[in-house]
């Protein structure tokens, strides 16, 4: 309750192996891999949808709105409180990271790399055009489609959410 007054945070923190999930999600993000497997409890209940306008297909704003709750919870976090909690849990985090990392590597380096990887994302103005590719959709704009899996997943949250999260990421990076 000291980290955020948002009631959803408590429910999300009640997951098995939360520290291992956190460590793996950060490591995946730093490697450009979408952390959806580790963060399945954040997965929106609503399905992805698009809007077809003639020959153009764009992401439905309802699809990005599915991530509004996750964004609200994330930006509600107390930055200094998160830094203090990280410092308190750092030995457990390092222990969990040692289980999956090459010898001599440090979790703090992976965390910084994950911050930098997401902060490098510039959300497009307007609704990005997509096209169907068998079962999924891909961005028509190659500069967006050529981003890493983690960066494309971040963009799926929508430009407004990306900008809010990037501001919080910059604050957290500075505090840590």
């Amino acid at each position: 309750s000291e980290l955020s007054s948002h009631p959803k945070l408590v429910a999300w923190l009640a997951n098995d192996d939360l520290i291992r999930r956190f460590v793996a999600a950060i490591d995946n993000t730093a490697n450009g891999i979408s952390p959806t497997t580790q963060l399945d409890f954040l997965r929106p209940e609503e399905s992805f949808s698009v809007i077809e306008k003639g020959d153009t297909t764009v992401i439905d704003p309802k699809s990005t709105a599915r991530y509004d709750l996750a964004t609200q919870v994330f930006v509600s976090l107390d930055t200094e409180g998160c830094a203090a909690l990280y410092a308190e849990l750092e030995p457990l985090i390092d222990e969990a990271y040692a289980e999956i990392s090459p010898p001599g590597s440090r979790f703090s380096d992976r965390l910084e790399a994950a911050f930098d990887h997401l902060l490098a994302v510039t959300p497009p103005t307007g609704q990005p055009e997509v096209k169907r590719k068998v079962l999924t959709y891909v961005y028509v704009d190659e500069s967006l489609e050529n981003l890493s899996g983690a960066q494309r997943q971040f963009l799926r949250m929508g430009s407004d959410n990306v900008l809010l999260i990037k501001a919080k990421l910059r604050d957290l990076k500075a505090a840590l």
Side-chain angles (χ1 to χ4, degrees):
S1 66
E2 293 177 23
L3 289 182
S4 171
S5 61
H6 203 293
K8 194 65 175 175
L9 179 64
V10 173
W12 287 342
L13 293 179
N15 272 281
D16 292 335
D17 290 326
L18 191 60
I19 290 178
R20 283 188 179 95
R21 284 175 178 254
F22 169 75
V23 165
I26 296 298
D27 191 53
N28 278 353
T29 301
N31 289 323
I33 301 166
S34 176
T36 54
T37 302
Q38 294 79 29
L39 304 177
D40 59 343
F41 57 92
L42 296 176
R43 186 181 313 270
E45 292 178 15
E46 302 84 8
S47 298
F48 177 82
S49 59
V50 297
I51 297 174
E52 295 181 7
K53 300 177 182 178
D55 292 340
T56 303
T57 304
V58 296
I59 298 172
D60 188 336
K62 292 178 187 174
S63 283
T64 58
R66 302 175 309 153
Y67 294 100
D68 289 353
L69 177 62
T71 300
Q72 291 165 7
V73 173
F74 186 72
V75 300
S76 77
L77 294 172
D78 176 72
T79 301
E80 296 306 319
C82 287
L85 180 61
Y86 178 79
E88 185 178 329
L89 295 177
E90 194 167 15
L92 292 174
I93 291 169
D94 287 341
E95 185 179 307
Y97 184 62
E99 294 173 2
I100 63 168
S101 68
S105 59
R106 297 175 10 175
F107 180 77
S108 59
D109 294 336
R110 302 310 295 152
L111 182 59
E112 185 168 347
F115 279 132
D116 292 343
H117 194 67
L118 293 181
L119 289 171
V121 173
T122 302
T125 55
Q127 295 174 296
E129 189 176 344
V130 293
K131 64 182 177 183
R132 193 135 176 85
K133 183 178 178 181
V134 187
L135 299 175
T136 61
Y137 286 87
V138 296
Y139 291 106
V140 171
D141 182 338
E142 287 189 26
S143 68
L144 299 178
E145 190 55 36
N146 289 333
L147 294 172
S148 74
Q151 291 171 324
R152 286 193 314 272
Q153 180 63 45
F154 191 33
L155 279 182
R156 287 185 200 116
M157 298 181 81
S159 295
D160 292 342
N161 288 334
V162 167
L163 293 173
L164 289 168
I165 290 170
K166 282 180 66 171
K168 179 55 87 172
L169 288 173
R170 281 190 290 275
D171 292 346
L172 287 168
K173 182 179 178 184
L176 292 172

